[in-house]
Amino acid sequence: LQDVFDRADELLKPTLRLSVEISHAYAEVLRQMSQLASLAEVRSDPLTRINNRRAFDESLDGLLREQVRYPATFSLAMIDIDHFKQINDVHGHAAGDSVLKVVGARIAGTVSATDLAARVGGDEFVVVTDQPTTIAQALEFANQVRLAVSEPIPLRLGSGPAKVKVNVSIGLAS
């Protein structure tokens, strides 16, 4: 009977060793996933869930460095919500946060997968296109953003539902 136990033990040792290795590999995968999630958080705005200033700075830096090797035109749109302070003053900061979320989502909805939309501070957003873009194309894009953002934004206020109309000012460079 002892021989059977010894033989079973001998057969199971490689399986146990493999089980321990798999467990360690799984723990490493979880650690790396956690690090990736942390990096994503560092590059995204916690309120609007779009890219933040850091992501914008890194993207623009990369594009400018690439220009040295592969000259091409790209466009930059600086977007500012008009009279945003008044929205906060009249409707409260929670309403202002809702407006920022909606505006961020609408701006992000107008860009292509290779463009970068980011909230760079307060009520200021930026879009960087990494594809060759003329100033006329950038102007057309800015008009699309303006139209998307100008749709009334529904809010839930203490006094009940309301809608806020938002306008933006956009500066372009190409």
Side-chain angles (χ1 to χ4, degrees):
L1 190 59
Q2 186 61 38
D3 287 345
V4 172
F5 287 133
D6 290 344
R7 180 72 179 134
D9 190 44
E10 187 176 308
L11 289 173
L12 290 176
K13 277 185 183 178
T15 304
L16 291 173
R17 206 172 20 254
L18 183 59
S19 174
V20 169
E21 288 178 24
I22 290 172
S23 175
H24 288 254
Y26 182 71
E28 178 62 17
V29 167
L30 289 177
R31 187 187 66 74
Q32 289 180 6
M33 286 175 52
S34 176
Q35 281 184 322
L36 284 174
S38 294
L39 286 175
E41 287 175 13
V42 168
R43 294 178 49 89
S44 66
D45 177 59
L47 179 65
T48 61
R49 302 284 187 222
I50 64 172
N51 293 297
N52 64 12
R53 177 67 182 254
R54 172 180 268 167
F56 163 68
D57 289 344
E58 289 172 0
S59 178
L60 185 59
D61 185 52
L63 277 172
L64 292 173
R65 274 197 246 141
E66 204 171 285
Q67 290 294 307
V68 174
R69 294 178 65 195
Y70 308 105
T73 306
F74 66 91
S75 294
L76 179 90
M78 296 295 298
I79 305 162
D80 185 74
I81 300 174
D82 296 339
H83 312 291
F84 182 71
K85 183 181 180 321
Q86 186 176 0
I87 294 170
N88 275 339
D89 290 349
V90 172
H91 302 291
H93 289 281
D97 286 352
S98 293
V99 167
L100 290 170
K101 289 176 190 177
V102 171
V103 168
R106 289 181 181 176
I107 291 170
T110 63
V111 302
S112 73
T114 59
D115 295 339
L116 176 100
R119 178 177 174 218
V120 292
D123 62 326
E124 298 164 347
F125 297 83
V126 67
V127 173
V128 179
T129 63
D130 67 347
Q131 299 186 9
T133 308
T134 65
I135 198 69
Q137 291 167 320
L139 188 57
E140 184 179 319
F141 168 77
N143 194 45
Q144 290 173 353
V145 169
R146 185 187 60 76
L147 289 172
V149 169
S150 69
E151 291 292 319
I153 297 173
L155 298 175
R156 289 192 193 105
L157 304 173
S159 59
K163 290 188 178 185
V164 173
K165 183 141 172 67
V166 173
N167 292 311
V168 292
S169 296
I170 303 175
L172 293 173
S174 186

